[in-house]
Amino acid sequence: MCRQSATVCLVKSPSRENRVIGGLPSRLTTLPDPRDRRGRRHPFVSVLLMACSAVMCGARSFAAIGQWARNAPQDTLARLGARTVSAFAVCIAPSTATIRRIINRVCPGGLADLLGCDPSGADTLAVDGKSARGSRHGDTPAAHLLAAMTGGGLTVTQLQVPDKTNEITCFAGLLAPFDLTGVTVTADALHAQRGHARFLVEDKKAHYALCVKKNQPGPYERLHMLPWTEVTAKFYDRTEGHGRKETRVVQVLTVDDLDFPHAAHVARVVRHRTCLKTGSRSRETVYVITDLTSREASPQRLAKIIRSQWVIENRLHFVRDTAFREDASKVHTGHGPENMATLRSFAINCLRGAGHHNIAAGLREMSYEPFTRPLALLGLR
């Protein structure tokens, strides 16, 4: 059952079994064709593969995907399984309208699950949301997408947060289909919820590291009153980048009476920042609640886990906006905003898997041979 459109979209519910099906075309066949059976001219999976290939070359819109397909040579279209006509098997590319229609209507939850990576065995998994600002249209708000990414920088899946609600209601649904045994899930202050902690530890057999900031004055004040002056377990970390110097002091305190499910430790993170340009200084204190014990996480490892939450912001949301200009995209109809975001995340996964640390440079390299390199990366022969 699709977790976004409440319709049956996969042979089975999104799970590991769907991901291990050999080859991308075979996985995509588990998605149903959203078009009416009458008038289907172009193969459904072929159109999705063209969209994946075009986005991997830097296509940012339906028009760009259609232009890529229109200029693709016969051998490329044949490898993608395009429609053929006449006795000579001439391949015909789908029109931009056909591409738009399919991407706007294909199941967004199923597409995101099938194009994402498997999080089982990962050390950490970060959860965070982002609004596709350009998808705002009239009285319709921008699509807000909640995504999950491994500490290695690979997107797992995403869901659109329904209107008139927030990310909290989608947290369990986002992670429910996956095997998270032993994985430490990190999230920002919005998700420091007791229900989330129970779900992760009791249902998913995972761990959690949830941030608490001043926007939650009650829990923040209770954590602030803990005996931090007596703490001896500390870790210092200094970094320089993004125009500033930053020093982080992480203190870890064992707790056994905190009113939070399965809580074993609380960490206090004090960040001292100095702007290299202006010399201005700032200080911020946040707290992190985790079920990890002292044997499972030293102050140094806990500091690494806390920093892993930034991965999804720096290696997914920032990249999609700078490399693909996502916030400037005017796609707003149907499931277009979330499905285009899924295609961008899939392109980022593929490029990272091929060893590209700079996604913008990887897109340029794909564009030099746009009709062969993306197909090789997708394993299409």
Side-chain angles (χ1 to χ4, degrees):
M1 183 74 70
C2 174
R3 298 173 288 135
Q4 261 180 322
S5 60
T7 58
V8 177
C9 294
L10 301 173
V11 175
K12 299 179 181 179
S13 59
S15 62
R16 296 180 65 187
E17 286 76 8
N18 298 105
R19 295 168 180 271
V20 299
I21 297 175
L24 180 60
S26 299
R27 293 203 305 273
L28 292 178
T29 57
T30 62
L31 284 170
D33 191 335
R35 300 170 293 177
D36 190 277
R37 287 196 297 176
R38 294 176 296 178
R40 295 183 187 177
R41 294 181 176 85
H42 297 278
F44 172 64
V45 172
S46 175
V47 175
L48 292 180
L49 292 174
M50 291 181 194
C52 291
S53 302
V55 172
M56 209 175 296
C57 293
R60 301 173 182 173
S61 64
F62 296 135
I65 297 174
Q67 185 178 8
W68 184 94
R70 189 165 57 250
N71 288 278
Q74 286 290 303
D75 61 331
T76 297
L77 293 176
R79 291 169 66 186
L80 292 169
R83 174 194 176 199
T84 59
V85 296
S86 78
F88 299 101
V90 177
C91 295
I92 303 296
S95 66
T96 300
T98 298
I99 295 171
R100 179 187 297 110
R101 189 180 307 114
I102 289 178
I103 295 179
N104 277 343
R105 296 178 60 189
V106 68
C107 167
L111 186 66
D113 287 336
L114 293 175
L115 294 185
C117 77
D118 187 352
S120 60
D123 183 34
T124 60
L125 185 72
V127 176
D128 195 20
K130 176 186 183 296
S131 292
R133 299 176 184 176
S135 63
R136 187 190 308 275
H137 183 70
D139 295 332
T140 304
H144 190 78
L145 307 174
L146 183 65
M149 172 175 266
T150 66
L154 297 178
T155 304
V156 175
T157 189
Q158 73 175 16
L159 287 179
Q160 181 176 356
V161 178
D163 298 340
K164 300 181 181 179
T165 184
N166 58 31
E167 297 177 11
I168 297 175
T169 61
C170 297
F171 183 87
L174 179 78
L175 303 178
F178 306 105
D179 178 12
L180 300 180
T181 304
V183 179
T184 301
V185 178
T186 64
D188 59 19
L190 182 65
H191 296 286
Q193 308 288 330
R194 291 174 175 81
H196 292 359
R198 293 191 189 95
F199 166 74
L200 291 172
V201 175
E202 299 171 10
D203 296 348
K204 306 304 295 181
K205 311 304 179 186
H207 302 290
Y208 66 82
L210 304 176
C211 182
V212 177
K213 295 183 179 180
K214 290 184 178 180
N215 58 352
Q216 294 178 303
Y220 185 90
E221 186 61 26
R222 287 195 294 272
L223 297 178
H224 176 70
M225 297 302 294
L226 293 175
W228 295 107
T229 57
E230 303 174 10
V231 175
T232 57
K234 297 182 180 180
F235 175 72
Y236 295 86
D237 186 22
R238 295 178 176 85
T239 58
E240 181 175 337
H242 302 285
R244 66 173 181 257
K245 289 183 179 180
E246 183 171 315
T247 301
R248 290 173 294 278
V249 182
V250 180
Q251 298 175 277
V252 181
L253 182 65
T254 302
V255 292
D256 53 11
D257 57 351
L258 190 66
D259 183 22
F260 202 86
H262 306 286
H265 279 90
V266 174
R268 183 171 76 166
V269 184
V270 182
R271 302 187 182 112
H272 301 269
R273 296 190 180 98
T274 302
C275 179
L276 299 179
K277 184 176 181 180
T278 64
S280 61
R281 298 181 179 180
S282 63
R283 170 176 169 169
E284 180 188 27
T285 301
V286 299
Y287 297 93
V288 177
I289 304 174
T290 180
D291 70 311
L292 293 168
T293 64
S294 57
R295 290 185 177 182
E296 295 170 321
S298 63
Q300 182 176 359
R301 180 168 186 265
L302 196 54
K304 181 181 178 180
I305 291 172
I306 294 170
R307 291 200 68 190
S308 70
Q309 175 62 23
W310 302 350
V311 169
I312 192 169
E313 182 65 36
N314 295 335
R315 305 190 70 183
L316 179 64
H317 297 157
F318 178 77
V319 173
R320 284 205 322 230
D321 190 34
T322 55
F324 292 99
R325 305 296 296 169
E326 182 169 85
D327 283 348
S329 173
K330 297 302 180 183
V331 176
H332 62 268
T333 57
H335 297 306
E338 53 264 44
N339 284 335
M340 285 298 294
T342 293
L343 293 175
R344 296 172 189 130
S345 298
F346 176 67
I348 293 171
N349 280 3
C350 291
L351 291 172
R352 286 218 174 97
H356 294 282
H357 301 289
N358 186 315
I359 300 302
L363 292 173
R364 289 193 297 270
E365 185 170 323
M366 291 294 108
S367 69
Y368 298 150
E369 296 180 12
F371 303 119
T372 55
R373 292 184 180 181
L375 275 63
L377 213 56
L378 295 177
L380 302 177
R381 305 185 183 280

